[in-house]
Amino acid sequence: QVQLVESGGGLVQAGGSLRLSCAASGRTFGTYVMGWFRQAPGKEREFVATISPSGSITSYADSVKGRFTISRDNAKKTVYLQLNSLKPEDTAVYYCAARQGNLSGNSYLYNTWGQGTQVTVSS
């Protein structure tokens, strides 16, 4: 089982960029599908992006496609989320999560979660 710790959140103006990192512990990181999700105040947690264990396959929510990029470095046991062209509606706590199996945007299928990192986009 892996443990996950996110970092890289912060306050940024609309149109700006951030890079989130999710560092994992454990020897089997390279076997996990990794996902990024976010939750804004008063809203349900929503899917952002997911990446296959090898990094060769990715999938994005329509709301972030073309602006966000998910990647991973299995040697560093880290998954990244590059956030570009940020909008105020991207404001949320961002979580990374891990699962073994197929790519999925369903948060209920992920059984390991980090503590989250706050992203705030000002207009």
Side-chain angles (χ1 to χ4, degrees), residues 12-18 67-68 83-88 90 121:
V12 63
Q13 289 188 331
S17 298
L18 284 173
R67 299 189 298 122
F68 292 6
L83 291 66
N84 295 332
S85 302
L86 282 161
K87 306 175 182 180
D90 294 318
V121 184

Side-chain angles (χ1 to χ4, degrees), residues 11-112:
L11 174 63
V12 63
Q13 289 188 331
S17 298
L18 284 173
R19 189 175 82 155
L20 307 183
S21 298
C22 174
S25 62
R27 294 182 293 177
T28 59
F29 174 76
T31 67
Y32 284 83
V33 166
M34 299 299 297
W36 283 97
F37 295 80
R38 65 186 182 186
Q39 188 167 19
K43 295 187 177 181
E44 292 190 354
R45 191 169 297 188
E46 66 172 355
F47 166 70
V48 175
T50 184
I51 188 167
S52 63
S54 68
S56 61
I57 303 172
T58 59
S59 179
Y60 297 90
D62 287 344
S63 59
V64 307
K65 202 171 293 184
R67 299 189 298 122
F68 292 6
T69 303
I70 189 171
S71 61
R72 67 191 295 163
D73 185 333
N74 286 344
K76 295 183 178 179
K77 299 180 182 178
T78 302
V79 61
Y80 304 97
L81 187 67
Q82 179 68 41
L83 291 66
N84 295 332
S85 302
L86 282 161
K87 306 175 182 180
E89 52 263 43
D90 294 318
T91 294
V93 177
Y94 283 70
Y95 299 89
C96 69
R99 72 179 301 263
Q100 289 186 311
N102 297 326
L103 289 182
S104 176
N106 185 344
S107 63
Y108 291 99
L109 297 181
Y110 288 77
N111 53 15
T112 302

